[in-house]
């Protein structure tokens, strides 16, 4: 560090030597480097010069500003000092003049005071002598305020001279007159209520006549509570009126009376201070008034809410909201009138509750409508004469069911939109509970109903439901339509109508969740349809195997009837499925009209292999009996084949659906064959049946290798279970199958 500071070649060092630096530069650097160094030094010098000028200018301006401020402060303090000195001089002068005036008037002041007191006393005595007659006259004229004022004025004189006999009689007469007046005012106070002014005047007179303030305040609230209760009872009997008339009666009667009582009480006991009462009297009076106001508003709003609940689902929603809007405006006006009071409850809570109840009513109606629609679909399917005829009508049933649900939901969403009209005085979305209510329309009504649809439809796919197969197919296709179109349409509609930002909300259900549930339901129903139809095919095949005596069979001359029935059933199923799902084949028309070269109508069966592997064929007629008795052939087949999953989910295509049914049927036939023992002719009958199935099943599937593999397994199992493994000649088998 010391060497760095003492470096004579460092421009930033205090020991920098320009001569040595220049000498070294000329010695070590080329001309080009020297010129570059010169340019850099010039540039740094200019930059430093500019920075120094800027710094100087900035500090100079600050210094000038500070100097001006100090100069102004000196001038201000000088002026202030002059003003204070002048004020001091004037105050001394005023004090001197006051002392002089006091000394001059000291002699006559006491005499003037005595004369003034005597004059005032004479006037009071004259007033007292005529007071009883004057009080009676004022009371007869109902000029109660002046009578009370004169009596209170006389009380000061009575307090001073009331012990003398001449004044004692006058005082007793006045007290008796005012006692009667006080009783009359108390009666008038209890039945007063026409205007707030009258209540205020009578209450003030009673207070001036030494009526206890706290008792008067409690009595006022008690009497008012009785009158308001009568209004509530009267409103409870108005059940025959519509909602608008009911609310108008409450506003004109109950709420007007309540506002009258509150304003009178506030002016009498809260807005004024009473010396004889405790310091917290006004605070307690305001608290009692607040409790009284909220209790009565709660009673009335509970009555209104009960009426709203009874009208939900039966009355006109628009009329109900018009009435509640009118009530909301009146309560807002009461809040403005009742200064310092807090009205805790308003009509928005009733409106939000009504919206919730209407949502629940609409949700129930949607569920009932959906149940009725499902019943209509089931009735249509039951009344269909055949599966082929049903297949022609399935598309119409699905369309009707889908459109009915979507349009019904759209109508409900439009009906509930009336709560958000801009011409109402209330805005439920401004309230937290109201915003949750609007989101509840989306979540509880729409999303809840869509999940209800998925749950109910999924219930038909349970093994214990014993639903008809075509119903499962209709419900599966309907769920698929909802997943592809309906869910998006309905959720976009509710988000648009109610201005809900569901994309950026962490609490709202996303569209993809409902679509996934719909697709899962559609998949479960379709799988149930495949299992049910496969079970029906399996029952026919199993019964045909279990009820036949395979050890005492005759030589086969025809295909068994059950095989023809199976092919016919599969043809009917394909017709029904094809009306809803497109086929996925490589042909231009979408339907297979010819067999592939590997499935020509011969008596051998090819092993199942993947499309990337070559096909292996097993010609059972080429093996000798000794070879057929061994298990090597079947083991070799399994060695080069892949595992066939039978009960897997199918795709939403005709070929996949029919193939799933065929797999279940052939797997059942295979397991039944493995449990039986066959004679030579029994084996040959299985050979004929398997070849007949091979000739007909290829039309229903897109991958015939799988069918051939299963048929190969069936015939192989029959060979293994046969006592005399001799197969029929291929030509004979083909002739029998073609003869059918």
């Amino acid at each position: 560090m010391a060497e760095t500071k003492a470096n004579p070649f460092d421009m930033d060092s205090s020991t920098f030597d320009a001569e040595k630096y220049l000498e070294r530069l000329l010695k070590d650097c080329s001309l080009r480097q020297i010129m570059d160094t010169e340019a850099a030094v010039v540039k740094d010098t200019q930059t430093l010069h500019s920075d120094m000028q800027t710094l100087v200018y900035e500090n100079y301006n600050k210094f000038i500003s500070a100097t001006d401020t100090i100069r102004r402060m000196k001038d201000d303090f000088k002026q202030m000092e002059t003003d204070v000195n002048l004020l001091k001089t004037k105050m001394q002068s005023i004090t001197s003049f006051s002392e002089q005036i006091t000394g001059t008037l000291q002699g006559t002041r006491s005499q003037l005071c005595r004369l003034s007191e005597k004059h005032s006393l004479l006037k009071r005595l004259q007033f007292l002598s005529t007071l009883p007659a004057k009080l009676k006259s004022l009371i007869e004229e109902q000029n109660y305020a002046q009578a009370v004022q004169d009596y209170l004025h006389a009380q000061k004189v009575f307090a001073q001279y009331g012990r003398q006999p001449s004044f004692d009689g006058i005082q007793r007469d006045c007290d008796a007159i005012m006692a009667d007046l006080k009783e009359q005012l108390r009666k008038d106070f209890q039945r007063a209520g026409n205007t707030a002014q009258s209540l205020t005047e009578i209450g003030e007179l009673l207070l001036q006549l030494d009526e206890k303030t706290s008792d008067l305040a409690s009595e006022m609230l008690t009497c008012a509570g009785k009158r308001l209760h009568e209004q509530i009872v009267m409103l409870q009997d108005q059940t025959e009126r519509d909602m608008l008339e009911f609310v108008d009666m409450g506003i004109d009667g109950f709420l007007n009376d309540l506002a009258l009582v509150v304003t009178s009480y506030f002016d009498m006991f809260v807005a004024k201070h009473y010396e004889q009462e405790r310091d917290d009297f006004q605070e307690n009076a305001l608290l009692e008034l607040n409790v009284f106001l909220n209790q009565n508003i709660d009673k009335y709003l509970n009555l209104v809410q009960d009426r709203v609940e009874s009208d939900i689902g039966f009355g006109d929603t628009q009329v109900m909201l018009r009435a509640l809007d009118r009530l909301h405006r009146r309560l807002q006006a009461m809040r403005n009138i009742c200064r310092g009071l807090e009205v805790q409850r308003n009509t928005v809570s009733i409106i939000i509750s009504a919206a919730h109840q209407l949502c629940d009513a609409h949700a129930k109606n949607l569920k009932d409508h959906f149940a009725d629609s499902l019943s209509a679909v089931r009735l249509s399917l039951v009344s269909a004469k055949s599966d082929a005829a049903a297949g022609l009508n399935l598309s119409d049933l699905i369309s009707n069911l889908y459109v009915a649900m979507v349009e019904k939901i759209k109508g409900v969403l439009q009906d509930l939109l009336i709560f958000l009209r801009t011409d109402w005085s209330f805005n439920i979305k401004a309230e937290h509970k109201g915003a949750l209510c609007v989101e509840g329309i989306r979540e509880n009504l729409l999303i809840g109903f869509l999940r209800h649809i998925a749950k109910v439809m999924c219930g038909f796919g349970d093994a214990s439901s014993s639903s008809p197969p075509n119903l499962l197919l209709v419900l599966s296709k309907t769920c698929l339509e909802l997943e592809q179109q309906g869910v998006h349409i309905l959720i976009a509609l509710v988000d648009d109508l109610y201005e809900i930002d569901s994309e950026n909300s962490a609490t709202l259900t996303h569209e993809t969740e409902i679509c996934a549930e719909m697709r899962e339901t559609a998949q479960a129903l379709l799988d149930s349809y495949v299992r049910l139809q496969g079970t029906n095919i399996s029952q026919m095949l199993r019964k045909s195997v279990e009820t036949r005596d395979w050890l005492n069979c005759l030589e086969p001359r025809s295909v068994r009837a059950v095989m023809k029935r199976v092919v016919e059933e599969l043809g009917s199923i394909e017709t029904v499925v094809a009306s809803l799902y497109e086929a996925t084949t490589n042909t231009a028309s979408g339907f297979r009209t010819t067999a592939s070269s590997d499935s020509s109508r011969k008596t051998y069966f090819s092993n199942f292999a993947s499309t990337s592997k070559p096909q292996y064929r097993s010609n059972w007629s080429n093996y000798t009996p000794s070879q057929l008795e061994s298990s090597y052939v079947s083991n070799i087949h399994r060695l080069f084949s892949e595992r066939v999953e039978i009960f897997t989910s199918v795709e939403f295509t005709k070929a996949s659906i029919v193939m799933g049914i065929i797999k279940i049927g052939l797997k059942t036939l295979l397991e039944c064959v493995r449990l039986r023992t066959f004679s030579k002719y029994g084996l040959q009958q299985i050979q004929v049946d398997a070849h007949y199935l091979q000739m007909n099943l290829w039309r229903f599937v897109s991958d015939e290798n799988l069918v051939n593999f299963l048929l190969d397994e069936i015939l192989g199992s029959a060979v293994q279970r046969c006592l005399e493994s001799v197969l029929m000649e291929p030509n004979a088998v083909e002739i029998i199958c073609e003869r059918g």
Side-chain angles (χ1 to χ4, degrees), residues 625-644:
S626 61
Q627 289 175 318
L628 292 174
E629 291 175 358
S630 67
S631 62
Y632 290 136
V633 175
S634 60
N635 291 335
I636 291 173
H637 290 170
R638 293 187 178 89
L639 181 64
F640 291 98
S641 64
E642 296 180 356
R643 178 179 177 83
V644 179

Side-chain angles (χ1 to χ4, degrees), residues 96-212:
S96 175
F97 279 118
S98 176
E99 291 175 353
Q100 292 177 6
I101 293 171
T102 301
T104 303
L105 299 178
Q106 186 68 35
T108 60
R109 177 183 298 175
S110 58
Q111 184 178 359
L112 292 174
C113 289
R114 287 194 299 272
L115 291 175
S116 177
E117 289 175 357
K118 290 180 180 179
H119 177 72
S120 176
L121 177 60
L122 292 174
K123 290 182 66 176
R124 286 198 293 269
L125 293 176
Q126 183 181 3
F127 171 76
L128 289 178
S129 62
T130 60
L131 182 60
K134 186 177 182 181
L135 291 178
K136 290 180 179 180
S137 176
L138 291 173
I139 292 173
E140 290 175 357
E141 297 173 359
Q142 294 186 352
N143 191 359
Y144 302 143
Q146 185 63 42
V148 172
Q149 183 179 355
D150 291 346
Y151 175 75
L152 293 178
H153 180 68
Q155 288 301 305
K156 297 178 181 178
V157 182
F158 285 141
Q160 185 175 2
Y161 302 103
R163 296 180 181 178
Q164 299 184 12
S166 58
F167 294 112
D168 186 55
I170 297 175
Q171 184 176 8
R172 287 198 302 270
D173 293 342
C174 292
D175 290 342
I177 294 171
M178 297 311 295
D180 295 338
L181 175 61
K182 188 175 182 180
E183 185 65 24
Q184 179 65 34
L185 289 176
R186 189 178 291 109
K187 293 178 181 180
D188 293 343
F189 178 78
Q190 293 177 355
R191 63 172 177 265
N194 296 326
T195 63
Q197 185 65 29
S198 63
L199 285 174
T200 304
E201 290 177 356
I202 296 175
E204 287 178 349
L205 293 177
L206 288 172
L207 290 174
Q208 291 175 13
L209 293 174
D210 294 334
E211 184 75 12
K212 191 173 182 181

Side-chain angles (χ1 to χ4, degrees), residues 378-393 397 470 569 572 576:
R378 299 187 70 175
L379 183 61
S380 299
L381 292 175
V382 171
S383 61
K385 296 181 179 180
S386 64
D387 287 343
L392 298 176
N393 297 325
L397 290 177
N470 286 343
E569 285 292 324
S572 299
V576 173

Side-chain angles (χ1 to χ4, degrees), residues 2 156 177 201 268 310 412 532 606 642 671 687 724 728:
K156 297 178 181 178
I177 294 171
E201 290 177 356
M268 291 168 55
S310 64
V412 168
L532 184 57
S606 57
E642 296 180 356
E671 296 302 325
Q687 182 185 6
E724 185 180 356
M728 185 179 289

Side-chain angles (χ1 to χ4, degrees), residues 488-547:
H488 173 72
I489 292 173
L490 294 174
I491 291 182
L493 177 65
V494 73
D495 290 346
D496 180 59
L497 289 178
Y498 295 90
E499 299 178 355
I500 300 174
D501 186 11
S502 59
E503 294 294 332
N504 299 322
S505 176
T507 59
L508 298 180
T509 305
H510 198 268
E511 175 185 329
T512 54
E513 297 180 33
I514 304 301
C515 289
E517 292 182 17
M518 287 295 175
R519 191 167 188 86
E520 289 175 3
T521 303
Q523 185 68 63
L525 290 169
L526 190 59
D527 292 342
S528 297
Y529 171 79
V530 170
R531 285 195 294 270
L532 184 57
Q533 292 287 38
T535 301
N536 294 336
I537 299 294
S538 298
Q539 288 176 351
M540 291 189 292
L541 293 173
R542 185 182 64 192
K543 187 179 294 185
S544 69
V545 174
E546 293 177 350
T547 58

Side-chain angles (χ1 to χ4, degrees), residues 391-606:
L392 298 176
N393 297 325
L394 290 187
S395 297
D396 294 337
L397 290 177
I398 293 170
S399 177
N400 293 337
L401 180 60
Y402 171 80
V403 171
M405 288 190 299
V406 172
E407 292 302 322
K408 186 69 174 178
I409 295 174
K410 287 182 178 179
V412 168
L413 294 178
Q414 290 289 348
D415 290 343
L416 291 173
L417 196 61
I418 193 175
F419 284 90
L420 301 182
R421 273 174 42 179
T422 56
D423 56 339
W424 299 133
S425 61
F426 54 83
N427 180 13
I428 64 173
K429 293 187 71 173
E431 303 281 340
H432 177 65
K433 292 183 178 180
L436 294 179
C437 177
V438 172
E439 293 181 356
I441 296 176
R442 182 188 191 274
E443 293 296 306
N444 300 332
L445 182 63
L446 177 58
I447 302 298
F449 179 61
L450 291 175
R451 283 178 168 158
H452 173 76
I453 291 174
K455 181 179 179 181
V456 171
M457 287 187 174
C458 193
F460 285 97
D462 294 339
S464 58
S465 64
S466 65
S467 303
N470 286 343
L471 177 61
L472 300 178
L473 201 58
V474 168
L475 299 183
S476 174
K477 184 64 175 179
T478 304
C479 283
L480 193 61
E481 291 291 331
L482 287 172
E483 183 263 336
Q484 294 174 348
Q485 298 180 14
V487 171
H488 173 72
I489 292 173
L490 294 174
I491 291 182
L493 177 65
V494 73
D495 290 346
D496 180 59
L497 289 178
Y498 295 90
E499 299 178 355
I500 300 174
D501 186 11
S502 59
E503 294 294 332
N504 299 322
S505 176
T507 59
L508 298 180
T509 305
H510 198 268
E511 175 185 329
T512 54
E513 297 180 33
I514 304 301
C515 289
E517 292 182 17
M518 287 295 175
R519 191 167 188 86
E520 289 175 3
T521 303
Q523 185 68 63
L525 290 169
L526 190 59
D527 292 342
S528 297
Y529 171 79
V530 170
R531 285 195 294 270
L532 184 57
Q533 292 287 38
T535 301
N536 294 336
I537 299 294
S538 298
Q539 288 176 351
M540 291 189 292
L541 293 173
R542 185 182 64 192
K543 187 179 294 185
S544 69
V545 174
E546 293 177 350
T547 58
R548 190 179 182 90
D549 186 3
W550 295 99
L551 294 176
N552 299 308
C553 290
L554 300 177
E555 184 178 0
R557 290 291 180 264
S558 63
V559 180
R560 288 189 300 150
V562 67
M563 298 301 167
K564 299 178 183 179
R565 178 67 187 280
V566 167
V567 173
E568 291 175 357
E569 285 292 324
L570 290 173
S572 299
I573 292 172
E574 183 196 34
T575 302
V576 173
V577 174
S579 66
L580 303 180
Y581 295 99
E582 297 179 357
T584 55
T585 62
N586 296 327
T587 59
S589 63
F591 298 95
R592 299 189 58 184
T593 57
T594 60
S596 66
S597 59
D598 290 328
S599 60
S600 58
R601 299 176 183 180
K602 297 181 180 179
T603 57
Y604 54 79
F605 302 90
S606 57

Side-chain angles (χ1 to χ4, degrees), residues 286-399:
L286 181 61
L287 180 61
E288 291 178 1
L289 180 60
N290 207 16
V291 172
F292 174 80
L293 174 63
N294 284 285
Q295 284 179 347
N296 284 278
I297 287 182
D298 284 344
K299 291 179 182 178
Y300 177 66
L301 292 183
N302 287 335
L303 180 62
V304 173
Q305 185 165 2
D306 292 340
R307 178 61 186 270
V308 169
E309 291 176 357
S310 64
D311 285 357
I312 287 294
F314 301 99
D316 189 345
T317 304
Q318 185 171 0
V319 172
M320 178 188 72
L321 289 180
R322 283 178 56 197
L324 292 177
D325 177 64
R326 191 171 299 179
L327 177 60
H328 184 265
R329 294 176 189 272
R330 186 66 180 87
L331 288 179
Q332 289 292 98
M334 283 190 63
R335 283 190 174 86
N336 297 330
I337 295 174
C338 303
R339 305 178 305 274
L341 297 178
E342 180 182 357
V343 181
Q344 299 175 353
R345 189 174 175 186
N346 54 32
T347 52
V348 176
S349 60
I350 299 178
I351 297 168
I352 293 174
S353 176
H356 280 297
Q357 294 170 13
L358 193 59
C359 283
D360 295 339
H362 279 308
K364 184 179 182 301
N365 292 336
L366 286 174
K367 293 177 181 179
D368 293 341
H369 177 267
F370 176 60
D372 294 340
S373 300
L374 288 182
S375 299
V377 170
R378 299 187 70 175
L379 183 61
S380 299
L381 292 175
V382 171
S383 61
K385 296 181 179 180
S386 64
D387 287 343
L392 298 176
N393 297 325
L394 290 187
S395 297
D396 294 337
L397 290 177
I398 293 170
S399 177

